[in-house]
Amino acid sequence: MKMADAERSVNNLLPHQAFDVDMQQPKQAASKWFDDDGKPKRTGTVWTASAHIITAVIGSGVLSLAWATAQLGWIAGPAVMFLFSFVTYYTSALLSACYRSGDPINGKRNYTYMDAVRTNLGRKYVKICGMVQYVNLFGVAIGYTIASSISMMAIKRSNCFHKSGGKNPCRMNANPYMIAFGIVEIIFSQIPDFDQLWWLSLVAAVMSFTYSIIGLGLGVSQVVENGKIKGSLTGISIGTVSQTQKIWRSFQALGDIAFAYSYSIILIEIQDTVKAPPSEAKTMKKATLISVAVTTIFYMLCGCFGYAAFGDMSPGNLLTGFGFYNPYWLLDIANAAIVIHLVGAYQVYCQPLFAFVEKEALRRFPDSDFITKDIKIPIPGFRPYNLNLFRMIWRTIFVIITTVVSMLLPFFNDIVGLLGALGFWPLTVYFPVEMYISQKQIPRWSTRWLCLQILSFACLIITIAAAAGSIAGVIGDVKNVKPFQTTY
């Protein structure tokens, strides 16, 4: 079965349907309902694409930015955030140009990040890219499960502490909350494909603004209450931490900031939901500019005001730094918003992985009813739901595995830094740069080629440093963790 046919089947459109429309209907009618590749007409806009990006970008990473700024100081902290925002925007613009091969208006579509790599760089790069991309997506799912459980426990503990008047320490185990999050994700993971997630992305984007604004507001109020701006030009002082810890923490801070900006791995998938005209690349560049500008403003404000409020004592999770107690109801709203946002963000990140496994299964076993057959389940007042047994079982197993691993490795900050480090250079910089050079046929050793290679090499050095710092942090955490017995 051809890849295009596999694509259509995964999206519940039988291959012969588009063919029948083309043969039996006038061309004008066909173009009204179907795009140039035979798929149902895409309806995404700048705003839905921006919502997807903001859902992916303003995630749990924003909560660690005050801590990251504290490690780097008032000069390097904001400068590094701005640098990452610029690199992310620039390389995302390069990547969006690779959605279509050849002609930017009518060229062959690349439906996924890996399709773009295969078309522009060849098959030998696909396996490397796929391994890095899907391991990163798997890691993001684990990070989001951990972060959501922390926020759910924060709500429970703040109410517990408030009721007891501060007498009960309200210690609790994280496992039930991770399991609860996993159950919710099992349900939402049955949404068949990416373009049906737009409503979940919009809700998640609103939630991300909600908790970011609350975190920012609490940071500002804490600065006012302190009567001064804490922090220093060079970051956390030697004495609070050792010189070695200072170096490792500074490196880890780079990973945390990189994670806060990472979304390139799903950019092509988001772009595939966008309608044309104008060209998908133009729409995506505009959506990227809007999204990165908005998130950078939020990041600067949250990171800087969090550092100004807490100085060297800035917490790994900004909202937990304000205590669980006053104003406890506002913190409850913020933590509830985080949980709702992460439910959506988990799906936005995992859909490309789900789709890859399902397409691969369809390619290998095109005649298997277990993989290809949909069972129509009537829903009163709505269209029937197409239940695919393979999709249901495999996605459920995936969520269960990420939940179990989260219970084994429940340390948020170091996992965030490590994920950011591992995904930043290869997926956000190297592959977009190399694909763009190939697509535009930029001559080797030309000025533009050299500038792109220098950018890629500089980002590689940053990634290596960030990975080293995060691994050092993870090693330190593992010594103090008992599997399945983590309490807060």
Side-chain angles (χ1 to χ4, degrees):
M1 182 175 282
K2 294 180 180 178
M3 182 60 71
D5 290 345
E7 295 276 348
R8 293 183 193 119
S9 297
V10 169
N11 289 288
N12 300 318
L13 176 67
L14 296 175
H16 68 267
Q17 288 178 316
F19 176 78
D20 288 346
V21 171
D22 286 340
M23 293 296 292
Q24 298 172 11
Q25 300 295 334
K27 199 166 186 178
Q28 186 177 358
S31 65
K32 182 180 178 182
W33 300 107
F34 295 92
D35 275 328
D36 54 2
D37 60 346
K39 284 191 170 188
K41 202 81 172 173
R42 292 161 176 83
T43 58
T45 64
V46 168
W47 302 111
T48 60
S50 297
H52 281 313
I53 295 170
I54 290 171
T55 300
V57 179
I58 303 185
S60 55
V62 71
L63 302 174
S64 66
L65 290 178
W67 181 90
T69 306
Q71 312 314 307
L72 300 170
W74 280 118
I75 297 175
V80 168
M81 271 191 264
F82 179 77
L83 174 67
F84 273 97
S85 69
F86 173 76
V87 170
T88 300
Y89 168 70
Y90 183 71
T91 56
S92 295
L94 299 182
L95 183 57
S96 65
C98 300
Y99 172 66
R100 286 187 183 266
S101 300
D103 185 75
I105 307 291
N106 300 311
K108 174 185 171 292
R109 295 173 187 265
N110 295 304
Y111 299 107
T112 66
Y113 193 107
M114 283 180 63
D115 286 345
V117 172
R118 183 182 293 108
T119 301
N120 291 285
L121 300 179
R123 289 188 174 275
K124 67 178 181 179
Y125 287 90
V126 172
K127 288 184 179 179
I128 300 170
C129 172
M131 184 176 68
V132 174
Q133 183 185 9
Y134 296 131
V135 166
N136 194 263
L137 291 173
F138 179 74
V140 167
I142 293 167
Y144 282 0
T145 303
I146 296 168
S148 66
S149 70
I150 291 172
S151 290
M152 284 188 274
M153 284 188 295
I155 296 171
K156 180 75 174 175
R157 289 183 67 190
S158 69
N159 292 322
C160 166
F161 190 90
H162 182 72
K163 286 178 181 177
S164 68
K167 296 175 183 177
N168 187 342
C170 303
R171 306 289 293 177
M172 58 189 65
N173 191 292
N175 293 343
Y177 300 92
M178 293 186 188
I179 292 169
F181 183 80
I183 291 170
V184 172
E185 292 303 341
I186 287 172
I187 295 168
F188 278 109
S189 69
Q190 302 311 313
I191 296 173
D193 49 45
F194 208 101
D195 61 352
Q196 296 178 33
L197 281 176
W198 65 268
W199 61 272
L200 191 58
S201 280
L202 287 174
V203 171
V206 170
M207 293 300 104
S208 66
F209 279 117
T210 300
Y211 68 72
S212 296
I213 290 170
I214 291 174
L216 172 61
L218 290 171
V220 172
S221 65
Q222 187 71 44
V223 171
V224 172
E225 186 180 320
N226 294 340
K228 64 176 182 179
I229 294 174
K230 293 185 177 182
S232 65
L233 295 179
T234 56
I236 193 165
S237 54
I238 304 298
T240 306
V241 293
S242 68
Q243 192 162 0
T244 304
Q245 284 178 316
K246 166 80 173 172
I247 294 169
W248 288 129
R249 283 177 165 219
S250 296
F251 288 163
Q252 187 185 331
L254 298 176
D256 282 12
I257 296 172
F259 178 80
Y261 277 104
S262 65
Y263 81 97
S264 296
I265 49 178
I266 57 169
L267 184 144
I268 296 288
E269 282 83 350
I270 294 173
Q271 193 166 348
D272 192 44
T273 68
V274 171
K275 65 182 178 182
S279 72
E280 297 88 354
K282 281 186 178 179
T283 301
M284 205 62 193
K285 285 176 185 176
K286 195 172 181 182
T288 298
L289 180 61
I290 292 168
S291 305
V292 172
V294 168
T295 53
T296 300
I297 292 169
F298 267 104
Y299 284 0
M300 290 283 190
L301 292 172
C302 289
C304 292
F305 273 105
Y307 182 38
F310 296 105
D312 285 357
M313 296 296 105
S314 294
N317 182 326
L318 179 61
L319 290 174
T320 62
F322 298 102
F324 296 105
Y325 325 123
N326 292 311
Y328 80 99
W329 57 269
L330 188 60
L331 287 166
D332 286 354
I333 293 172
N335 281 300
I338 289 172
V339 175
I340 295 169
H341 170 260
L342 292 178
V343 167
Y346 185 106
Q347 291 302 318
V348 168
Y349 269 102
C350 290
Q351 281 292 334
L353 178 55
F354 293 158
F356 168 74
V357 171
E358 286 151 23
K359 288 172 192 171
E360 194 62 21
L362 187 60
R363 185 180 68 82
R364 290 173 181 267
F365 308 103
D367 299 322
S368 169
D369 285 346
F370 175 65
I371 292 171
T372 60
K373 189 175 180 180
D374 286 343
I375 301 169
K376 291 193 178 294
I377 299 178
I379 302 175
F382 297 93
R383 289 186 305 175
Y385 174 75
N386 293 318
L387 175 67
N388 180 284
L389 290 177
F390 173 72
R391 182 176 66 221
M392 179 185 72
I393 293 170
W394 126 250
R395 294 187 182 191
T396 300
I397 290 171
F398 174 85
V399 175
I400 290 171
I401 291 172
T402 59
T403 304
V404 171
V405 175
S406 301
M407 291 157 67
L408 285 168
L409 304 171
F411 23 87
F412 171 70
N413 221 46
D414 296 321
I415 292 292
V416 162
L418 186 57
L419 290 172
L422 294 177
F424 176 68
W425 177 71
L427 298 173
T428 302
V429 182
Y430 175 75
F431 283 115
V433 164
E434 293 300 318
M435 284 191 285
Y436 185 79
I437 288 172
S438 173
Q439 173 133 325
K440 301 300 180 183
Q441 298 181 339
I442 298 171
R444 200 175 183 86
W445 303 110
S446 65
T447 303
R448 195 172 190 191
W449 185 90
L450 283 171
C451 289
L452 288 169
Q453 296 298 338
I454 289 168
L455 170 66
S456 181
F457 181 73
C459 292
L460 172 61
I461 299 301
I462 292 171
T463 289
I464 292 170
S470 298
I471 290 169
V474 169
I475 291 171
D477 283 335
V478 167
K479 295 175 183 176
N480 302 316
V481 168
K482 291 182 179 180
F484 304 110
Q485 295 180 27
T486 303
T487 56
Y488 290 88

